[in-house]
Amino acid sequence: MTANVHLLKLSVGSESVEQLIDWQRHRSKQRKDGRYYHLTRMWPKRAGELLEGGSIYWVIQGVILARQRITAFEEVIGEDAIRRCAIFLDAEVIRTEATPKRPFQGGRYLAAGDAPRD
């Protein structure tokens, strides 16, 4: 499967790829069946495309530095009764070419042709 689209997300609070990995594996409570998920308020409109080999590309300190393959989406209803989207990710964090990225809020789609190389 070759993805046509990916997600671009800020790794808020991370100062390095190692810190992102540590957070996901040891400190985050966002786990189900041993799998880490990233929780977001909005369900991606292009979820079907993202499941065709898409990844989350992580922006750390203003630079795209890593990616993780998206494996599934699941609805999560919080204690506040708000519907959220759990984006399940492959455990492998793949480093990418360092690519500067201007600040943005939320998530953005990233065309496969614009994604940095591994």
Side-chain angles (χ1 to χ4, degrees), residues 28-85:
S28 177
K29 293 182 178 21
Q30 293 175 185
R31 301 191 72 72
K32 183 175 180 181
D33 302 326
R35 301 177 299 152
Y36 172 78
Y37 61 87
H38 177 75
L39 196 61
T40 184
R41 177 101 184 242
M42 303 303 294
W43 196 279
K45 289 179 174 48
R46 299 173 75 179
E49 290 177 79
L50 290 166
L51 289 174
E52 295 175 356
S55 293
I56 284 186
Y57 279 78
W58 293 111
V59 178
I60 300 170
Q61 301 287 304
V63 182
I64 301 172
L65 293 175
R67 72 177 181 90
Q68 285 176 281
R69 192 173 58 83
I70 297 170
T71 60
F73 296 98
E74 189 174 301
E75 180 179 77
V76 174
I77 306 293
E79 292 179 11
D80 54 8
I82 295 175
R83 176 183 181 251
R84 293 182 173 83
C85 177

Side-chain angles (χ1 to χ4, degrees), residues 57 67 94-97 116-118:
Y57 279 78
R67 72 177 181 90
I94 301 164
R95 293 175 186 273
T96 65
E97 289 181 328
R117 293 187 305 211
D118 292 351

